[in-house]
Amino acid sequence: MTARRHRSTFRYIGKRLIHAAFTILGIAVINFLLLQLAPGDAAEALAGEAGTADAEYMESLRRQFGLDRSLIEQLGAFLLRIVTLDFGWSFRHGMSNWDLIMDRLPATLLLMGASILLALIGGIVMGVIAARNVGRLPDRLISVGALLLYATPPFWIGLMMIVLFSVKLGWVPTGGMYDVIGGKTGFAHVLDVMWHLALPVLTQAFFYLAIYTRLVRAGMLEVLNLEYIRVARAKGISENRIAYRHALRNAVLPLLTVVGANIGTFLGGAVLTESIFSWPGIGRLMFDAMMQRDLNLLLSILVLSSIFVVIANLLVDLLYAVINPTVELK
Amino acid sequence: MAKDTLLSVEDLHLSVSHMPEARILRGVSFDVTRGKTLAIVGESGCGKSVTSLAVMGLLPEGLTKTAGHIRFDGTDLPVTDNEAMRKIRGDRIGMVFQEPMAALNPVYTIGNQVAEVILEHENISRAEARERVIALMREVGLPDPDHIVDEYPHRLSGGQRQRVVIAMALACNPDLLIADEPTTALDVTVQAQIMRLLKGAQAELGVAIVLITHNLGLVAQVADRVAVMYAGRKVEEAETRRLFSAPLHPYTRGLLAATPRPGRRQEGELPLSEIPGMVPSITEDLRGCRFAPRCPLASDICHRVIPEPRMIGATSVACHNTTETEAPA
Ligand SMILES: Nc1ncnc2c1ncn2[C@@H]1O[C@H](COP(=O)(O)OP(=O)(O)OP(=O)(O)O)[C@@H](O)[C@H]1O
Ligand SMILES: [Mg+2]
């Protein structure tokens, strides 16, 4: 029976990957066309910076970037490169787009992983406490707190934290990922990065924390009224064990789907957070690429992040099937 | 309290906490004898389930005991939850509920869920617990116990799930099993199997059973005694044969007359009938008998004085109009 289950799991993954390939191509085409609508191109941006609008210079730049060819030709060339995982060259940075992105990716992954994990732990603890004290003071405090966090724009929280913790109190640095001068290594380096990470992570985490707390609270309230919880009580199981073992695992199932969606939209929020804290991640890179009309780099980021999101969502769905045995992967 | 009395509920009163005039139980008393079956019958909302939950110490939040005692094997039980009660639940008192489809946690295997109750109350290893669980599954008639322990609930039928719940309730060899409509949600052939299983367990383990049900046919077959409840009170209690052959309270008679019986109607037997009128609500405070507004025999006193239970022959009945002469010898 388990062998059959394994085989069907592999078939499921295969199907999802084929699906994903088409999704990613679709995303690539749409992004490509959308960016064509944006005013200006790299040649104009470069020429503007060089302080010259000489037609001949721009013409040569365009030829160099392949911008003089027809739209269809450009799209075809772009898709061909994607299929062969060749993301081209960024003239702005003088580096291949792939190298640029891989260089920045760890910082964003670190920010994302840390903030979502923190929000998950906090949200589960808060949500469970609120649900078990429903209507009483702890629930009221947690619910109001979650609502406030949910309603406050993250970038504002970020700026306020810089003002308070960096400028006024001087506890943490205002930005960057590590001490540029210090040149720390080993454990000292890890600590240094965590130090710099604190505020950006909190900024991102607060928003998710609000969502997760509310979801866990609602899920727990629903599950705690179900028949199997009464049965567990009739078995003499302690209330703590009932909450954390019997109810929680069922209550977090809907949460998992939301986490998957949050991973998908993470980059959107990261653009702001990374800009505020000068965090050297993909979001920042994307913002710069946009300002500099480095459309090739921008497209590469969009395509790579869509690949990443698709894979992350597949993992979430697989994980969902692991913690919920009533789900059969098909 | 007689020596072989296991559970004794005395004058139990329950109210809604924030609305004391909403009185759900208004003085309910009954005894359960070791190894015997007491059936509790009565129409919907009369308080059967809250009575059983009070015994379990699982009274829903919002309900409070306003008077009375529950004594189990010589000790007083609280009606609300506490640590001591938790040790008794699942170990010495097991409970089976009405909805087997919803009674098992979907994310854990059934073996895991049955073992949980054993591990909670006994000091044994996981491996030993697993052996016990497999033996239990065999006893409750689940097919292929070695494999079914590792199955998840959604793969089992309703009848199989109820067997799992019964296995959980019996896992620690309890003295008392409370079954609140254990077969209502199951189809008829499965109902009979489940009842046979419960009676078999009783014969083997000597467990006393409180059976709550609407199925009078079932009561006639399996119960030793029957308590009839109406609107928060017990109106009649007798040995099963006696209750069916000589019901004394007008409500009991109405209940029996409203139950279809196989075979042809006997001479003088009335056709299937219903009891006219409505049950008074839990907040309605009648000065007299709560059945009086619907009672065909109600007289003046019935509307003025609450009838206390008294013994007529071997039947306990709470009615002003029943007299010794009506009781069979
Ligand atoms: N948590 C609660 N809060 C307020 N009232 C309640 C609560 N639980 C039960 N009641 C009321 O108590 C009364 C008795 O309910 P109970 O569930 O014991 O009835 P029952 O005899 O088991 O009925 P049924 O045969 O339908 O199962 C009902 O009037 C019900 O509305
Ligand atoms: Mg009930």
Side-chain angles (χ1 to χ4, degrees):
Chain A
M1 198 205 80
T2 43
R4 204 171 63 221
R5 196 168 165 151
H6 280 167
R7 204 168 332 127
S8 82
T9 305
F10 283 130
R11 196 165 335 120
Y12 171 80
I13 295 175
K15 252 199 307 202
R16 284 284 302 264
L17 285 178
I18 293 172
H19 221 101
F22 283 102
T23 313
I24 290 163
L25 274 184
I27 292 172
V29 171
I30 291 172
N31 280 323
F32 178 84
L33 295 176
L34 276 177
L35 287 186
Q36 292 300 320
L37 293 177
D41 60 15
E44 260 174 43
L46 274 177
E49 277 168 33
T52 163
D54 179 34
E56 213 166 300
Y57 174 56
M58 299 233 312
E59 202 55 39
S60 76
L61 279 177
R62 291 211 166 98
R63 226 181 353 263
Q64 196 183 346
F65 301 159
L67 294 174
D68 57 338
R69 284 183 283 166
S70 77
L71 194 60
I72 297 294
E73 271 179 305
Q74 286 188 46
L75 176 61
F78 168 63
L79 289 182
L80 202 67
R81 280 196 285 111
I82 286 181
V83 175
T84 55
L85 281 183
D86 168 13
F87 288 91
W89 184 263
S90 167
F91 292 92
R92 302 296 313 215
H93 295 265
M95 259 173 111
S96 86
N97 284 333
W98 174 266
D99 287 344
L100 252 180
I101 292 171
M102 287 305 138
D103 193 37
R104 300 290 193 92
L105 190 61
T108 295
L109 286 184
L110 180 64
L111 180 60
M112 180 170 84
S115 55
I116 288 187
L117 192 69
L118 190 70
L120 265 178
I121 295 171
I124 286 174
V125 171
M126 294 291 184
V128 171
I129 292 176
R132 292 181 69 184
N133 293 286
V134 62
R136 292 196 287 270
L137 190 65
D139 176 34
R140 300 243 168 95
L141 290 179
I142 289 172
S143 295
V144 168
L147 192 66
L148 280 178
L149 284 183
Y150 187 70
T152 317
F155 73 86
W156 188 82
I157 295 183
L159 289 174
M160 288 307 119
M161 285 199 303
I162 291 182
V163 169
L164 182 62
F165 295 113
S166 305
V167 179
K168 282 234 158 67
L169 298 171
W171 289 353
V172 281
T174 53
M177 188 166 169
Y178 36 77
D179 213 339
V180 193
I181 316 155
K184 300 191 174 83
T185 51
F187 187 62
H189 175 70
V190 172
L191 272 184
D192 188 37
V193 170
M194 280 173 63
W195 207 232
H196 285 77
L197 188 63
L199 289 191
V201 158
L202 282 177
T203 304
Q204 285 283 339
F206 277 147
F207 180 65
Y208 298 127
L209 178 69
I211 302 177
Y212 300 165
T213 301
R214 284 151 55 109
L215 266 173
V216 170
R217 178 181 179 274
M220 286 291 288
L221 285 180
E222 193 184 315
V223 173
L224 281 173
N225 276 317
L226 293 180
E227 184 82 356
Y228 58 79
I229 298 298
R230 273 214 295 169
V231 171
R233 291 207 173 100
K235 293 199 292 190
I237 308 301
S238 71
E239 282 301 313
N240 269 327
R241 192 174 157 91
I242 285 177
Y244 284 99
R245 195 183 135 84
H246 283 272
L248 183 60
R249 180 137 164 210
N250 287 285
V252 297
L253 287 176
L255 189 64
L256 209 55
T257 318
V258 176
V259 172
N262 288 157
I263 291 175
T265 55
F266 185 85
L267 210 50
V271 171
L272 274 175
T273 308
E274 291 183 1
S275 299
I276 294 172
F277 294 99
S278 337
W279 188 256
I282 300 281
R284 193 72 210 288
L285 186 66
M286 195 161 101
F287 182 74
D288 292 344
M290 206 141 49
M291 297 316 279
Q292 299 160 346
R293 297 290 182 278
D294 195 343
L295 299 192
N296 236 332
L297 175 58
L298 196 52
L299 266 179
S300 304
I301 293 174
L302 291 173
V303 170
L304 273 179
S305 60
S306 68
I307 292 176
F308 174 73
V309 166
V310 164
I311 291 174
N313 273 312
L314 177 59
L315 290 180
V316 165
D317 286 351
L318 290 176
L319 189 63
Y320 191 89
V322 169
I323 64 171
N324 185 2
T326 60
V327 170
E328 315 238 324
L329 297 174
K330 275 206 271 309
Chain B
M1 191 157 118
K3 197 170 103 289
D4 56 354
T5 300
L6 176 66
L7 175 74
S8 168
V9 173
E10 288 163 34
D11 197 33
L12 186 63
H13 285 72
L14 298 177
S15 290
V16 177
S17 319
H18 62 92
M19 214 169 91
E21 70 277 15
R23 298 167 59 199
I24 292 171
L25 290 188
R26 298 163 180 253
V28 169
S29 308
F30 58 83
D31 286 355
V32 180
T33 308
R34 278 178 206 283
K36 299 285 190 204
T37 301
L38 172 75
I40 302 180
V41 299
E43 57 198 281
S44 225
C46 68
K48 307 181 295 293
S49 293
V50 291
T51 305
S52 65
L53 291 175
V55 173
M56 291 295 283
L58 289 178
L59 215 50
E61 226 167 294
L63 301 190
T64 37
K65 180 177 88 167
T66 45
H69 295 280
I70 301 173
R71 242 185 284 282
F72 175 75
D73 204 11
T75 52
D76 269 340
L77 299 187
V79 293
T80 44
D81 204 7
N82 69 18
E83 236 1 63
M85 193 60 227
R86 194 163 76 68
K87 297 252 183 298
I88 293 176
R89 261 200 318 265
D91 187 24
R92 304 201 55 204
I93 309 179
M95 183 150 185
V96 176
F97 295 89
Q98 181 176 349
E99 287 295 336
M101 295 311 276
L104 297 171
N105 194 328
V107 300
Y108 295 112
T109 64
I110 60 175
N112 189 320
Q113 295 184 58
V114 180
E116 187 181 27
V117 65
I118 303 176
L119 291 168
E120 179 71 40
H121 296 290
E122 291 175 29
N123 213 345
I124 67 174
S125 73
R126 289 191 169 273
E128 285 172 295
R130 189 182 159 90
E131 286 311 305
R132 278 263 296 277
V133 170
I134 293 176
L136 267 166
M137 309 234 133
R138 195 166 287 124
E139 276 162 42
V140 298
L142 282 164
D144 202 2
D146 294 301
H147 284 110
I148 215 165
V149 278
D150 296 319
E151 279 294 1
Y152 288 93
H154 70 280
R155 298 193 166 244
L156 275 61
S157 69
Q160 288 175 331
R161 291 189 211 186
Q162 195 63 305
R163 287 174 194 272
V164 174
V165 175
I166 291 171
M168 281 188 320
L170 294 176
C172 296
N173 281 328
D175 300 304
L176 177 64
L177 182 72
I178 300 177
D180 190 351
E181 307 197 32
T183 61
T184 308
L186 303 171
D187 72 55
V188 184
T189 49
V190 182
Q191 286 185 6
Q193 291 167 7
I194 294 290
M195 279 322 298
R196 259 202 302 280
L197 172 61
L198 288 179
K199 288 307 278 186
Q202 180 168 54
E204 202 170 313
L205 309 170
V207 58
I209 297 178
V210 172
L211 174 68
I212 296 171
T213 180
H214 289 275
N215 185 340
L216 291 176
L218 195 68
V219 171
Q221 282 174 39
V222 305
D224 297 298
R225 290 182 74 78
V226 186
V228 181
M229 286 181 63
Y230 183 81
R233 305 199 103 210
K234 186 184 80 176
V235 293
E236 183 164 0
E237 186 193 324
E239 191 208 313
T240 305
R241 290 247 299 284
R242 194 176 181 87
L243 188 111
F244 278 89
S245 61
L248 294 186
H249 197 283
Y251 172 68
T252 313
R253 290 183 193 165
L255 202 62
L256 293 178
T259 307
R261 255 184 270 199
R264 288 176 52 202
R265 240 197 293 154
Q266 283 166 3
E267 190 103 13
E269 188 181 328
L270 294 170
L272 199 59
S273 61
E274 57 172 309
I275 307 171
M278 299 253 291
V279 188
S281 86
I282 50 176
T283 48
E284 217 166 313
D285 234 334
L286 305 175
R287 279 168 58 211
C289 173
R290 295 184 72 71
F291 188 58
R294 303 172 73 187
C295 182
L297 305 178
S299 57
D300 189 36
I301 185 172
C302 300
H303 293 284
R304 285 188 291 109
V305 182
I306 298 175
E308 289 307 322
R310 59 203 169 110
M311 294 304 291
I312 294 186
T315 301
S316 156
V317 61
C319 176
H320 294 300
N321 284 315
T322 321
T323 53
E324 295 283 354
T325 54
E326 284 178 75

